[in-house]
Short mmCIF file of all heavy atoms in Angstrom, two decimals:
data_model
loop_
_atom_site.label_atom_id
_atom_site.label_comp_id
_atom_site.label_asym_id
_atom_site.label_seq_id
_atom_site.Cartn_x
_atom_site.Cartn_y
_atom_site.Cartn_z
N LEU R 636 310.97 28.80 81.93
CA LEU R 636 311.59 29.84 82.76
C LEU R 636 312.85 29.32 83.43
O LEU R 636 313.90 29.98 83.42
CB LEU R 636 310.58 30.31 83.82
CG LEU R 636 311.09 31.39 84.79
CD1 LEU R 636 311.45 32.67 84.05
CD2 LEU R 636 310.04 31.67 85.86
N PHE R 637 312.78 28.11 84.00
CA PHE R 637 313.95 27.54 84.65
C PHE R 637 315.07 27.25 83.65
O PHE R 637 316.24 27.47 83.93
CB PHE R 637 313.58 26.25 85.39
CG PHE R 637 312.90 26.49 86.72
CD1 PHE R 637 311.62 26.02 86.95
CD2 PHE R 637 313.54 27.20 87.73
CE1 PHE R 637 310.98 26.24 88.16
CE2 PHE R 637 312.91 27.43 88.94
CZ PHE R 637 311.63 26.95 89.17
N VAL R 638 314.69 26.77 82.46
CA VAL R 638 315.69 26.48 81.44
C VAL R 638 316.42 27.75 81.02
O VAL R 638 317.65 27.78 80.87
CB VAL R 638 315.02 25.81 80.21
CG1 VAL R 638 315.97 25.79 79.02
CG2 VAL R 638 314.59 24.40 80.56
N ILE R 639 315.66 28.83 80.83
CA ILE R 639 316.26 30.09 80.39
C ILE R 639 317.16 30.69 81.46
O ILE R 639 318.22 31.25 81.16
CB ILE R 639 315.14 31.09 80.00
CG1 ILE R 639 314.45 30.62 78.71
CG2 ILE R 639 315.69 32.49 79.81
CD1 ILE R 639 313.23 31.44 78.34
N LEU R 640 316.75 30.55 82.73
CA LEU R 640 317.53 31.14 83.82
C LEU R 640 318.81 30.39 84.12
O LEU R 640 319.72 30.94 84.74
CB LEU R 640 316.67 31.23 85.09
CG LEU R 640 315.50 32.22 85.04
CD1 LEU R 640 314.71 32.17 86.35
CD2 LEU R 640 315.98 33.64 84.77
N LEU R 641 318.90 29.13 83.68
CA LEU R 641 320.14 28.39 83.89
C LEU R 641 321.26 29.04 83.09
O LEU R 641 321.09 29.35 81.91
CB LEU R 641 319.97 26.92 83.44
CG LEU R 641 319.13 26.02 84.34
CD1 LEU R 641 318.95 24.65 83.70
CD2 LEU R 641 319.77 25.86 85.72
N PRO R 642 322.42 29.28 83.70
CA PRO R 642 323.51 29.94 82.97
C PRO R 642 324.02 29.08 81.82
O PRO R 642 324.20 27.87 81.95
CB PRO R 642 324.58 30.12 84.05
CG PRO R 642 324.27 29.08 85.08
CD PRO R 642 322.78 28.93 85.08
N GLY R 643 324.20 29.71 80.68
CA GLY R 643 324.70 29.03 79.50
C GLY R 643 325.59 29.97 78.71
O GLY R 643 325.66 31.17 78.99
N PRO R 644 326.30 29.45 77.70
CA PRO R 644 327.23 30.30 76.95
C PRO R 644 326.55 31.45 76.21
O PRO R 644 327.12 32.53 76.09
CB PRO R 644 327.88 29.31 75.97
CG PRO R 644 326.98 28.12 75.93
CD PRO R 644 326.33 28.05 77.26
N ASN R 645 325.33 31.23 75.73
CA ASN R 645 324.66 32.30 74.98
C ASN R 645 324.36 33.50 75.87
O ASN R 645 324.71 34.64 75.54
CB ASN R 645 323.35 31.77 74.37
CG ASN R 645 323.59 30.76 73.27
OD1 ASN R 645 324.68 30.71 72.69
ND2 ASN R 645 322.60 29.95 72.98
N SER R 646 323.69 33.25 76.99
CA SER R 646 323.34 34.36 77.88
C SER R 646 324.58 35.00 78.49
O SER R 646 324.64 36.22 78.67
CB SER R 646 322.39 33.87 78.99
OG SER R 646 322.97 32.80 79.71
N LEU R 647 325.58 34.16 78.81
CA LEU R 647 326.82 34.70 79.38
C LEU R 647 327.53 35.61 78.37
O LEU R 647 328.05 36.66 78.74
CB LEU R 647 327.74 33.56 79.80
CG LEU R 647 329.09 33.97 80.40
CD1 LEU R 647 328.89 34.80 81.66
CD2 LEU R 647 329.93 32.74 80.71
N TYR R 648 327.53 35.22 77.11
CA TYR R 648 328.18 36.04 76.09
C TYR R 648 327.47 37.38 75.94
O TYR R 648 328.11 38.44 75.86
CB TYR R 648 328.22 35.32 74.75
CG TYR R 648 328.76 36.20 73.65
CD1 TYR R 648 330.13 36.44 73.54
CD2 TYR R 648 327.92 36.82 72.74
CE1 TYR R 648 330.64 37.27 72.56
CE2 TYR R 648 328.42 37.65 71.74
CZ TYR R 648 329.78 37.85 71.66
OH TYR R 648 330.28 38.69 70.69
N VAL R 649 326.13 37.36 75.90
CA VAL R 649 325.37 38.60 75.74
C VAL R 649 325.64 39.54 76.91
O VAL R 649 325.85 40.74 76.73
CB VAL R 649 323.86 38.29 75.62
CG1 VAL R 649 323.03 39.58 75.68
CG2 VAL R 649 323.57 37.56 74.31
N LEU R 650 325.65 38.99 78.13
CA LEU R 650 325.91 39.83 79.30
C LEU R 650 327.33 40.40 79.26
O LEU R 650 327.54 41.59 79.52
CB LEU R 650 325.72 39.01 80.58
CG LEU R 650 326.05 39.72 81.90
CD1 LEU R 650 325.20 40.97 82.08
CD2 LEU R 650 325.89 38.78 83.07
#
Side-chain angles (χ1 to χ4, degrees):
L636 179 63
F637 282 119
V638 167
I639 290 173
L640 292 178
L641 287 174
N645 292 340
S646 56
L647 179 60
Y648 175 76
V649 171
L650 176 60

